[in-house]
Amino acid sequence: MIKRRDFIKTSAALGVPTAAILSACNPNEANAKTVKGSLENAAKTPLVISTWNNKLANQTAYEIIKKNGSAVDAVEAGVQIPESDPKDQSVGYGGHPDREGNVTLDACIMDSKGNYGSVTYLQHIKHPIAVARKVMDETPHVMLSGDGALQFALSQGFKKEDLLTAKTKADYKEWLKTSEYKPKVNIELHDTIGMIAIDGVGDISGACTTSGLAYKMPGRVGDSPIIGAGLFVDNEIGAATATGMGEAVLRSVGSFLIVELMRNGLSPADACKEAVMRIIHKQSYKDLQVGYLAVNKEGDYGAFAIQPGFVFALTTDEETKVIDAISYI
Ligand code: ASP
């Protein structure tokens, strides 16, 4: 671990503002609430961690790791649980549509070797994460979008499906009465799954999948499928993922920032906090939710959000538990 003074020196050389670093180094500063105990959390590896109350997804991923499976196979399988859950209205099947009534999906996956695959604005395919994995493994590209992503999925044997449910159709009809567009903190924005796993040999991978913001403009792509924004993995350092208002995460390339801050010595929790501070220094945050979750190579984990209400699920050999993230407000 770099000592705080050395870290500030390194950061100054890197051009990171000292005030921001100081606030990140001291969790009691800058209005951040403290939790019982400390911001530092250590878990033994292997582990699986994911945004929101995604216990079943974590357990599905962890089972694969227990059978000596790889972190990348684990996260791909884990996030498919909410993708096929019709009750989860922010991911895959049963996700809220855009303002024209179409369900459009964003997903990405990144492995321990730095390989990355992503699909954006994909329609009619229940498991966009599996298509992202195929983009990573089977193409010379890292990202396929819209109709190209759909054609690729069909060529790989994926089935075209109607992803709207009776509930999302009814919700959409109701929404059309006003067509008011105002994402609500922790309500419309609360189920994107970002998952990180460390497997039995210590390799790290991550996956992130979402239907994005309900009633978004057609063509809108959020942070979730974008490398460095919704997800970033560096097998030597750790990984980070995001949920919440994608536009704010994209503008600050949050997940990449967190991994770089961990590289420079910050704990996962402090790095997540610093990434939140970068957002709130620049824009009004009263109605804005962004939550970050990060893990380092040692299995220390942490999370930080703008608003209260962000929880994450952690699975280790001992148990699966859902933990409240610390928030700025
Ligand atoms: N980050 C996602 C997006 O902006 C939304 C979410 O986390 O629910 O598309």
Side-chain angles (χ1 to χ4, degrees):
M1 253 327 234
I2 307 180
K3 289 207 191 79
R4 175 176 159 142
R5 198 169 353 119
D6 293 341
F7 169 58
I8 291 170
K9 258 198 256 158
T10 319
S11 307
L14 290 171
V16 183
T18 310
I21 293 301
L22 284 171
S23 77
C25 287
N26 183 348
N28 294 317
E29 287 173 17
N31 296 337
K33 279 200 285 181
T34 51
V35 275
K36 279 184 232 128
S38 90
L39 283 176
E40 311 300 326
N41 303 287
K44 282 204 189 91
T45 61
L47 64 80
V48 176
I49 200 161
S50 66
T51 54
W52 305 108
N53 187 347
N54 276 301
K55 281 183 172 176
L56 186 59
N58 271 23
Q59 283 157 351
T60 303
Y62 198 77
E63 277 307 303
I64 291 174
I65 287 173
K66 285 266 286 202
K67 291 182 188 138
N68 297 323
S70 65
V72 70
D73 286 343
V75 294
E76 182 189 355
V79 303
Q80 289 192 31
I81 298 295
E83 279 185 343
S84 49
D85 179 358
K87 290 203 267 341
D88 191 321
Q89 298 194 313
S90 302
V91 183
Y93 176 57
H96 278 306
D98 67 11
R99 59 186 67 175
E100 289 187 353
N102 299 312
V103 180
T104 73
L105 305 174
D106 293 339
C108 74
I109 190 159
M110 189 163 186
D111 74 10
S112 59
K113 297 180 189 75
N115 297 312
Y116 173 80
S118 158
V119 287
T120 71
Y121 202 65
L122 174 64
Q123 296 187 50
H124 305 301
I125 303 291
K126 194 186 259 177
H127 291 299
I129 198 67
V131 186
R133 175 81 188 261
K134 292 277 185 201
V135 171
M136 180 169 88
D137 290 349
E138 309 292 340
T139 80
H141 307 305
V142 295
M143 187 178 280
L144 290 178
S145 189
D147 197 46
L150 176 61
Q151 293 316 318
F152 171 68
L154 297 176
S155 77
Q156 294 289 315
F158 289 86
K159 224 173 61 225
K160 207 169 168 180
E161 294 177 64
D162 180 5
L163 301 180
L164 285 166
T165 58
K167 168 89 174 95
T168 50
K169 276 182 198 155
D171 287 352
Y172 177 60
K173 237 170 121 189
E174 193 56 35
W175 178 79
L176 281 175
K177 290 182 185 160
T178 60
S179 298
E180 192 203 11
Y181 181 69
K182 193 173 186 300
K184 295 186 192 98
V185 167
N186 290 337
I187 296 180
E188 285 179 359
L189 291 179
H190 71 82
D191 283 328
T192 290
I193 182 164
M195 176 181 281
I196 300 164
I198 306 182
D199 63 23
V201 295
D203 281 338
I204 311 172
S205 293
C208 189
T209 178
T210 189
S211 53
L213 302 183
Y215 316 126
K216 61 194 174 184
M217 288 173 69
R220 183 262 186 190
V221 172
D223 61 309
S224 305
I226 307 296
I227 190 166
L231 177 74
F232 195 71
V233 176
D234 183 323
N235 200 43
E236 285 175 23
I237 305 300
T241 190
T243 183
M245 183 60 81
E247 282 71 7
V249 176
L250 281 163
R251 281 187 205 110
S252 53
V253 201
S255 293
F256 182 73
L257 172 65
I258 290 166
V259 172
E260 289 308 295
L261 289 168
M262 292 195 293
R263 189 191 306 283
N264 282 289
L266 259 64
S267 69
D270 283 344
C272 289
K273 181 186 166 200
E274 176 58 20
V276 163
M277 301 307 276
R278 296 279 175 102
I279 293 171
I280 63 182
H281 281 148
K282 285 197 184 134
Q283 71 179 98
S284 147
Y285 54 86
K286 203 172 98 329
D287 296 320
L288 182 69
Q289 175 65 310
V290 168
Y292 286 118
L293 178 61
V295 182
N296 67 17
K297 188 73 177 167
E298 287 72 46
D300 306 325
Y301 61 90
F304 202 89
I306 300 176
Q307 313 279 345
F310 174 46
V311 298
F312 61 94
L314 171 72
T315 301
T316 60
D317 226 4
E318 282 146 29
E319 59 182 334
T320 295
K321 53 185 176 182
V322 175
I323 303 169
D324 283 318
I326 308 158
S327 62
Y328 179 75
I329 291 174

